[in-house]
Amino acid sequence: MPPSSSKSSNKPDSSSAPARTTWLRWLVRAALWMAGLATAAALGVALTIAVALAVAYPNLPDVSDLADYRPKLPLRVYSAEGALLGEFGEERRNLTPIGEIPQVMKDAVLAIEDARFFQHGGVDYKGVIRAGLANLGRVKSQGASTITMQVARNVYLSSEKTFTRKIYEILLTFKLEHLLTKDQILEIYMNQIYLGNRAYGFAAASEAYFGKPLKSVSVAEAAMLAGLPKAPSAYNPISNPKRARSRQLYIIERMEENGFITAEQATGAKKEELKIRSGPDNTRIHAEYVAEMARQLIFTQYGNEAYTRGLNVYTTLNAAEQEAAYGALRRGIMDYERRQQYRGPEKFVVLPTAAQEVEDAIDDALANHPDNGDVLSAVVLEASPRKIVAARASGDTLEITGDGLKPAQSGLSDKAPPNIKIRRGAVIRVVKTPKNAWEITQLPEVEGALVALDPRSGAIRALVGGFDFDKNKFNHAAQAWRQPGSSFKPFIYSAALEKGFTPATVINDAPLFFDAGVTGGQPWEPKNYDGKYDGPMSMRTGLAKSKNMISIRILQAVGPKTAQEWVSRFGFDAEKHPAYLTMALGAGSVTPLQMATAYSVFANGGYRVNPWLIAKVTDHKGRVISETTPPVTSEQPRAIDARNAFVMNSLLQEVTRSGTAARAQATLKRPDLYGKTGTTNDSVDAWFAGYQPTIAAVTWIGYDTPRNLGSRETGGGLSLPVWISFMERALKGVPVMEPTVPAGVVNVGGEWFYEEYARNSGIPSVGLDDRSASPAVAPHAPPPTEERNRILDLFRN
């Protein structure tokens, strides 16, 4: 019987086909459901995004202002020639049109930031998705922002990493690309981006890091600057030179890969040694006090907008004369400082033994004691009475020996107290001598000022308000009210010329005493500076020798009230010069700027001029906003008669020829110099006020808290050398000027007189009784009888 099983095994299983069909149907159904869900999800996301965009777009900021890009631009102050004096504002920025940005700078930026900038529509979609996923996964973001996106973010948005901000950034990018051209976007980016050191934009960064205009950068310098936008601190060539160098090399390679430079240019750029500015800008004109004066004047007019509008303020300052004034005053003060007792090191630090630790300790110590111009700081490594070895912040060491130790000899003595003793770890000051040797010194406590005007217009040509602006911002030239001492005497003499006095009038230089009944207070017994009395002398000699008794007798004759009214003609405040006989010795209060203005009256023939500083103000594009027309001298109000000014010039010329300021003509080798020294009681203030017809200059030296400068310190010894040093530069190439004799003045026997006084003779001398009258009195007309009798009554003693 045949086995039935063998047949049945060869037949197909009819039940398996429906099963496969069912499985396939289920798979298709599942696929369709998945596709549907994916489509629905996609549509949902698209709809959500569309709704988000529709809601967000109307809330986007108006970017139309960028079509006329106006970033915050600092206030800049310049000299008359255009030398930068100062800059004010939170952001340093030089707005540079795209056409003026060198191609090499643009190429360097595009190579590292956005090589396809001119090809894409503003957004790198792959980069945006990558950044979004990185942010979602809470890992370091993988941003791929284009330049347009960076402009949108930097100008309008915060730097937070959120989807909302990213959406706004993309929308703003589309708006910018629609509104602006590619060149406009690139121009905004290259002027707006922060690059460290308070520099915004590549033009400002070029000045900050290389001290040169952007148009002059090389491939290597452009690559260094282009590395800053990513992280201005991390790639700062001053603070992180190694990282900055590494990024610079990478950017040079990117420039070559993108065809911006050749292989030869890349090789040369990698080898170029860059000169990075690591310290303060020593090329800038030292005019900090002037820049601050200009800032205050502009702020008064424009308010806070002064710091953001990009105003350029051009002053009347002459750059060369300003530098001469700065150097002259500092040298004068440091010369005085050499004669003072050594006050000891500024600080003591403990120096470890390990070499690297020593360097770190020196860096820390000197960071708090920075250099002050040419007065440098150093830390002592070794000290003995014969030699000091000190280290600078730069790592250099220097030796001080011989004469260089003399200013601090007391600090090297074995008996020196601990606070004076110079030893290892002492922070000291040093300067270079003219012989290129080192000398120990100290920062001065004394202050000073120098101000120079054009007496014909009142324009300020130079002004230094103190030894160092960073050390003391008080402007002594314009703000310090001090006693002028003998430098005030010429104004009393000027008043006397109108009362019948002449340069030949003989006055007795003899002691005076005023009891309490006369003074209304304490008895007063004035003295001459040297304590000597030379008897009868002419008014000319009295001023040349700065005799106090002569000035007091003249003021007695003129009358203190009359003199008080007269000096106000020169711009002095009458209330600051009480109508007492002490006015003759300069016991009132003046500022150096006020003195320069007053002496300008003598220099310009008798006209009152007002000092002024700002010549022109322009906007950031150079368009003139305001401009000052220099005043014409003859159109200014007349303060004194021309003949009064002429005779006073003659008297003040004598001071610089044979008197207390004879060093002036002897040094400068020219006769057209006029002026007067001034030293107050107890040598508290030292002055010299003088002029040449084209420039009037005043110098002052003293302590902020008035105290004795030294028993031998005078205006002629302290301030006059500063004035001479400045005038040597200011008068270079200026021809000698001979004064024109005005109408009403005649010369008799070698002396100048008012014409009406020269017709008569026989006027008695002042301060002499009849028996001691000088036999040699130059003839001049007497004052009216009443005036004459009053003068005689005053001086018959």
Side-chain angles (χ1 to χ4, degrees):
M1 177 173 179
S4 61
S5 61
S6 62
K7 291 182 180 179
S8 64
S9 63
N10 292 327
K11 292 180 180 179
D13 187 357
S14 60
S15 64
S16 64
R20 279 198 298 272
T21 301
T22 301
W23 181 81
L24 287 172
R25 286 176 181 171
W26 179 87
L27 187 64
V28 170
R29 238 183 238 125
L32 290 173
W33 271 104
M34 289 292 291
L37 288 173
T39 301
L43 289 173
V45 170
L47 183 61
T48 301
I49 292 174
V51 172
L53 295 180
V55 173
Y57 200 86
N59 295 321
L60 291 176
D62 183 8
V63 299
S64 60
D65 287 344
L66 285 184
D68 183 19
Y69 175 57
R70 294 183 180 181
K72 291 181 179 179
L73 298 175
L75 168 69
R76 292 189 175 91
V77 182
Y78 298 91
S79 71
E81 305 87 351
L84 184 63
L85 305 180
E87 191 174 41
F88 302 93
E90 295 180 4
E91 303 176 2
R92 293 177 180 170
R93 182 185 280 111
N94 296 326
L95 184 57
T96 309
I98 191 68
E100 297 178 15
I101 298 175
Q103 190 62 43
V104 65
M105 190 69 252
K106 290 185 280 190
D107 291 342
V109 169
L110 294 175
I112 191 62
E113 294 293 334
D114 193 352
R116 295 184 58 257
F117 173 71
F118 285 99
Q119 283 76 48
H120 64 61
V123 176
D124 181 349
Y125 296 101
K126 291 182 180 179
V128 172
I129 293 172
R130 184 173 67 247
L133 291 175
N135 189 55
L136 182 64
R138 295 184 179 179
V139 298
K140 187 176 180 180
S141 66
Q142 304 292 318
S145 295
T146 64
I147 283 178
T148 311
M149 293 170 73
Q150 291 186 57
V151 169
R153 180 170 63 247
N154 290 332
V155 176
Y156 292 108
L157 302 175
S158 67
S159 58
E160 62 177 339
K161 302 290 192 297
T162 64
F163 283 114
T164 301
R165 189 203 59 78
K166 203 66 181 178
I167 290 173
Y168 272 96
E169 183 178 307
I170 293 171
L171 292 175
L172 276 173
T173 297
F174 289 147
K175 287 192 75 171
L176 290 174
E177 288 277 344
H178 175 72
L179 178 69
L180 306 176
T181 66
K182 287 288 188 179
D183 276 347
Q184 286 177 308
I185 294 171
L186 187 59
E187 177 182 295
I188 294 168
Y189 176 81
M190 299 195 75
N191 281 284
Q192 181 71 21
I193 194 75
Y194 177 63
L195 300 172
N197 268 29
R198 287 179 54 212
Y200 288 77
F202 289 94
S206 179
E207 293 284 356
Y209 294 110
F210 302 123
K212 63 194 301 185
L214 184 62
K215 63 182 181 182
S216 303
V217 296
S218 64
V219 172
E221 290 167 335
M224 182 69 79
L225 294 175
L228 290 166
K230 182 177 181 181
S233 297
Y235 298 111
N236 186 314
I238 296 175
S239 57
N240 290 302
K242 291 182 180 179
R243 294 187 69 179
R245 170 66 172 164
S246 176
R247 184 156 175 80
Q248 176 212 30
L249 295 176
Y250 174 64
I251 293 174
I252 292 173
E253 292 172 358
R254 291 283 296 161
M255 292 177 74
E256 182 184 358
E257 290 172 8
N258 283 279
F260 292 134
I261 57 175
T262 64
E264 291 77 16
Q265 287 177 306
T267 301
K270 290 178 180 179
K271 293 180 179 179
E272 183 178 335
E273 186 176 343
L274 301 187
K275 295 181 179 179
I276 306 295
R277 173 183 287 167
S278 57
D281 184 3
N282 293 322
T283 63
R284 181 174 291 185
I285 303 298
H286 287 285
E288 294 85 355
Y289 291 97
V290 174
E292 174 61 16
M293 289 173 69
R295 182 199 69 79
Q296 292 178 17
L297 290 170
I298 295 299
F299 179 78
T300 300
Q301 185 171 359
Y302 295 97
N304 288 325
E305 281 191 357
Y307 308 130
T308 60
R309 286 184 56 177
L311 298 176
N312 299 306
V313 181
Y314 293 88
T315 67
T316 58
L317 225 64
N318 179 286
E321 291 175 11
Q322 177 64 26
E323 280 296 274
Y326 173 81
L329 183 63
R330 283 182 68 95
R331 282 192 300 273
I333 289 177
M334 291 308 296
D335 286 345
Y336 169 78
E337 197 58 51
R338 289 187 183 93
R339 302 192 289 271
Q340 307 312 300
Q341 185 174 3
Y342 187 61
R343 296 184 292 275
E346 295 179 16
K347 186 180 180 181
F348 295 95
V349 295
V350 177
L351 295 181
T353 54
Q356 184 58 52
E357 292 179 2
V358 169
E359 290 182 11
D360 293 341
I362 291 173
D363 288 344
D364 290 342
L366 297 184
N368 296 320
H369 297 267
D371 294 342
N372 186 295
D374 55 354
V375 183
L376 311 180
S377 57
V379 175
V380 174
L381 302 177
E382 302 173 23
S384 71
R386 294 188 175 183
K387 183 175 73 172
I388 291 176
V389 178
R392 296 267 296 123
S394 61
D396 297 335
T397 58
L398 51 89
E399 289 188 2
I400 310 171
T401 58
D403 291 342
L405 297 173
K406 287 184 178 179
Q409 202 64 52
S410 60
L412 295 170
S413 170
D414 293 335
K415 298 180 180 180
N419 63 318
I420 302 296
K421 181 73 173 177
I422 300 175
R423 57 185 184 271
R424 178 177 169 83
V427 178
I428 62 172
R429 294 283 171 171
V430 297
V431 292
K432 266 286 182 67
T433 68
K435 295 181 179 179
N436 205 35
W438 289 106
E439 179 180 83
I440 190 168
T441 187
Q442 55 192 346
L443 282 176
E445 294 180 345
V446 75
E447 276 293 353
L450 191 158
V451 58
L453 307 178
D454 184 333
R456 299 162 296 187
S457 67
I460 297 175
R461 290 170 55 171
L463 186 147
V464 185
F467 181 77
D468 182 76
F469 182 77
D470 292 330
K471 176 173 171 278
N472 188 345
K473 293 178 171 56
F474 182 74
N475 189 339
H476 299 84
Q479 296 174 300
W481 291 93
R482 308 292 294 224
Q483 288 188 345
S486 296
S487 63
F488 196 75
K489 289 176 181 177
F491 306 106
I492 305 300
Y493 278 60
S494 172
L497 293 179
E498 301 303 309
K499 292 295 184 179
F501 282 76
T502 77
T505 300
V506 175
I507 307 167
N508 194 12
D509 178 33
L512 286 168
F513 176 79
F514 302 91
D515 60 29
V518 175
T519 63
Q522 295 295 319
W524 182 44
E525 187 176 8
K527 299 182 182 300
N528 286 327
Y529 174 78
D530 57 7
K532 298 177 181 178
Y533 304 93
D534 296 335
M537 64 178 62
S538 69
M539 194 166 84
R540 175 180 292 278
T541 303
L543 185 61
K545 292 186 174 183
S546 197
K547 291 290 187 175
N548 290 341
M549 301 305 107
I550 302 295
S551 297
I552 293 172
R553 284 191 161 95
I554 290 175
L555 181 56
Q556 278 186 305
V558 171
K561 188 64 178 177
T562 300
Q564 183 190 45
E565 294 172 354
W566 184 261
V567 301
S568 65
R569 292 168 174 253
F570 295 85
F572 295 115
D573 303 327
E575 65 274 12
K576 291 187 180 294
H577 300 273
Y580 302 118
L581 292 179
T582 51
M583 191 196 312
L585 306 185
S589 296
V590 300
T591 67
L593 181 58
Q594 200 177 50
M595 287 291 278
T597 305
Y599 270 78
S600 293
V601 175
F602 295 139
N604 65 31
Y607 295 95
R608 168 85 176 275
V609 294
N610 291 314
W612 56 288
L613 178 64
I614 296 178
K616 182 173 65 175
V617 179
T618 71
D619 64 13
H620 70 280
K621 293 184 178 180
R623 295 174 296 206
V624 176
I625 297 175
S626 64
E627 191 167 9
T628 301
T629 302
V632 178
T633 306
S634 59
E635 295 178 356
Q636 299 303 301
R638 181 169 281 285
I640 60 176
D641 194 72
R643 62 181 187 171
N644 187 302
F646 178 84
V647 175
M648 285 307 304
N649 284 343
S650 175
L651 292 173
L652 292 171
Q653 186 180 41
E654 189 67 37
V655 176
T656 65
R657 187 187 71 82
S658 65
T660 56
R663 183 175 174 181
Q665 288 195 36
T667 303
L668 297 177
K669 309 295 183 186
R670 55 189 302 153
D672 57 341
L673 302 175
Y674 315 81
K676 184 69 186 72
T677 54
T679 310
T680 59
N681 278 346
D682 297 324
S683 297
V684 169
D685 299 275
W687 294 81
F688 185 76
Y691 56 92
Q692 190 268 353
T694 63
I695 186 167
V698 171
T699 57
W700 165 84
I701 291 176
Y703 289 97
D704 277 340
T705 302
R707 72 174 196 252
N708 191 289
L709 288 163
S711 59
R712 298 184 178 181
E713 303 295 353
T714 65
L718 270 178
S719 292
L720 177 60
V722 175
W723 188 88
I724 291 173
S725 178
F726 166 71
M727 293 296 266
E728 189 171 23
R729 172 63 186 84
L731 296 178
K732 189 175 183 180
V734 177
V736 173
M737 299 182 68
E738 293 291 337
T740 302
V741 182
V745 177
V746 296
N747 190 284
V748 178
E751 188 57 272
W752 296 103
F753 298 90
Y754 285 5
E755 188 174 22
E756 64 269 25
Y757 298 165
R759 300 194 193 103
N760 299 279
S761 62
I763 181 174
S765 302
V766 177
L768 303 173
D769 58 24
D770 294 341
R771 293 170 296 174
S772 61
S774 170
V777 180
H780 61 288
T785 302
E786 292 182 7
E787 184 84 6
R788 177 175 180 274
N789 291 336
R790 187 169 66 86
I791 293 172
L792 290 173
D793 289 341
L794 281 168
F795 297 116
R796 290 185 187 278
N797 50 41

